[in-house]
Amino acid sequence: MGMSSGGAGGWQSRRSRRRAPPVMAEINVTPMVDVMLVLLIIFMVAAPLLTVGVPIDLPQTQASAVNQDNKEPITLSVRPNGQIYLGDSEIKYEDLVSKLQAVTQARGGFEERIFVRGDKNANYGQIMRVMGRLSGAGFKKVALVTEIEQGG
């Protein structure tokens, strides 16, 4: 009786001839698309909540909305106690023009749109003082922001 000692025809040689399965070189994008869609929905819901930085009680008017271009306008807010905010940060009246010029030079110069949000309980003279300072500095597109009148 003869036995094979694992030579050329044994089970080990058959095993060594098998190749490993090829490595998959493609990226499965389906999970990435799912994550991106979820993030898109989250940002679409959260974006309107981030627009107002300084709490201001705006006056109401019957005027129609102003057509806006796609650029985000610069926003100045005047609180009832006379504090002035550029975006979310408080600035002094004396620094108003210099800070605005620094911001607008990077964006569009004196043609940049500036929105003044004056609280309805703020001193009218303080709001006009801010607008006069902007106009005197050469800013051409300055507008007051109000809310649309409810009811009547």
Side-chain angles (χ1 to χ4, degrees):
M1 295 224 203
M3 280 178 92
S4 168
S5 64
W11 63 274
Q12 288 179 343
S13 63
R14 276 185 269 148
R15 183 183 220 188
S16 64
R17 281 187 235 154
R18 288 188 191 164
R19 293 187 175 172
V23 177
M24 188 170 134
E26 297 175 7
I27 297 174
N28 188 3
V29 295
T30 305
M32 183 177 68
V33 170
D34 291 344
V35 169
M36 295 307 284
L37 287 174
V38 168
L39 288 174
L40 176 67
I41 291 170
I42 289 172
F43 287 129
M44 285 174 55
V45 170
L49 302 175
L50 301 175
T51 56
V52 178
V54 179
I56 296 279
D57 189 15
L58 293 173
Q60 295 182 353
T61 183
Q62 294 179 358
S64 60
V66 176
N67 293 337
Q68 291 187 16
D69 48 5
N70 292 337
K71 289 178 21 177
E72 184 71 24
I74 297 171
T75 305
L76 283 174
S77 302
V78 181
R79 303 280 312 264
N81 57 3
Q83 293 173 316
I84 302 170
Y85 288 83
L86 176 58
D88 292 336
S89 58
E90 184 178 358
I91 60 172
K92 294 180 181 170
Y93 176 76
E94 296 79 25
D95 300 333
L96 179 63
V97 173
S98 61
K99 297 234 182 189
L100 269 176
Q101 285 176 341
V103 170
T104 56
Q105 279 180 341
R107 294 179 59 164
F110 289 107
E111 293 295 322
E112 188 66 28
R113 182 175 293 226
I114 300 173
F115 285 171
V116 178
R117 299 173 63 233
D119 192 291
K120 70 180 178 182
N121 297 319
N123 184 349
Y124 180 75
Q126 178 70 20
I127 296 170
M128 289 299 106
R129 189 173 159 213
V130 168
M131 292 196 60
R133 183 87 185 245
L134 296 175
S135 178
F139 294 102
K140 298 176 179 134
K141 295 184 177 182
V142 180
L144 288 171
V145 177
T146 62
E147 289 181 340
I148 296 176
E149 191 170 5
Q150 301 297 320

